Amino acid sequence: MRVPFNDLARQYDSLKNEIDRTLSSTLQQFNFVRGTPVAAFEKAFARAVGTSSCIATGNGTDSLFLILKALGIKAGDEVITPSFSWISSAEVISLSGARPVFSDVDDLYFTLDPEKIESKITAATKAIVAVHLYGQAAAMDDIKAICKKHNLFLVEDCAQAHLTRLGKYPTGTFGDAAAFSFYPTKNLGAYGDAGCVVTNDDALAVKIRRLANHGALQKDDHEMEGINSRMDSLQAAVLATKLPHLERWNHLRRKNAQIYSTELKDILRLKLPSIRQGSEHSFHLYVIRTPARNDLQRFLAGRDIQTLIHYPCALPNLSAYRYLKKTPRDFPVATALQDEVLSLPVHPELTGEQIQYVCENIREFFGK
Ligand SMILES: *Cc1c(COP(=O)(O)O)cnc(C)c1O
């Protein structure tokens, strides 16, 4: 049996008629950028998350960058961000001219450890970029309180957390603004690059809309300089077609996660994901932890089971951040994670047979 990490072909087959129809009708409008499908998707996504505004962009990284620019983050500023994430959440800080200040994640949820944040705050600190890693909500209540106390902006990276919930509210509603990615393999994925910003701050929304379109809301109305980061109509049409299925797909991801967590719970050398109390994880990734990670990955590959590592190098340990002059000892949790994490296939298209096959092989590896 072959178990691929993602199965976009199977997902497409299940929606083929709807997708083909919307792509064909969008093509025939010949309005490829900022067309009516984009405005329609913005409205639908804002409603799904529960914010007053959604601004469609070119991708998730641009979305984060646009938020920082719109908040006025600039050279001389510092922005606190987790030691363990995809590089986007850190590189946009440097790109804005500011300095990324890494703060270590906690050992259980792999998101910013609120206990470690305050020691990183200086007179130059302007914002925190929190990441809801793997679909797990970060500790937003504590992080929000820290931002309030020190008068910092709060930006959420929701690229892995489409309709994750914390308490009653979806991630993306806790900070000043939030960035989403619709990269094809995210929980809601386009057929190419796409992203968006959501916010309840109407003035910030207008500024981001301008910045994403050369500083203009309408043609030639350049009130400021900006960048070109817009969503294609074709991507918006695909996303609008897929959005009504997102809750069901997240439910299937949670169900798959639950099966793994039940089937693998007796293996002592394996740490399974914890779910933050009062939250609903969206399981963009199901990540297990074991010192035997590399051997397990090789063993599973030999059984045709594809696994991935998110991420093999903690951000402060990357060559890109050597200039910050940090050592792996400064981020003990992230540095341990980089050598121990392994992502198992958890996508909604997995069959029961496939999950059982993965579990059987993991048990066999550990002699269980
Ligand atoms: C995917 C991802 C991004 C970036 O999204 P792109 O659309 O690929 O630019 C940012 N942050 C995290 C945590 C991600 O997983």
Side-chain angles (χ1 to χ4, degrees), residues 245-259:
H245 302 278
L246 176 58
E247 291 277 22
R248 182 172 56 85
W249 287 332
N250 280 353
H251 172 77
L252 290 169
R253 286 174 182 273
R254 279 193 292 274
K255 207 173 117 199
N256 292 340
Q258 182 59 51
I259 296 172

Side-chain angles (χ1 to χ4, degrees), residues 59-62 64 85-86 88-89 131 133 157 159-160 181-183 186 193-194 311:
N59 58 69
T61 309
D62 282 357
L64 285 165
S85 174
W86 174 240
S88 298
S89 45
V131 181
L133 196 70
D157 181 339
Q160 303 187 359
S181 166
F182 303 116
Y183 183 78
K186 307 285 184 178
D193 278 313
Y311 297 92

Side-chain angles (χ1 to χ4, degrees), residues 54 142 153 196 206 318 339:
C54 170
D142 292 340
F153 293 119
C196 79
V206 171
L318 287 170
D339 298 326

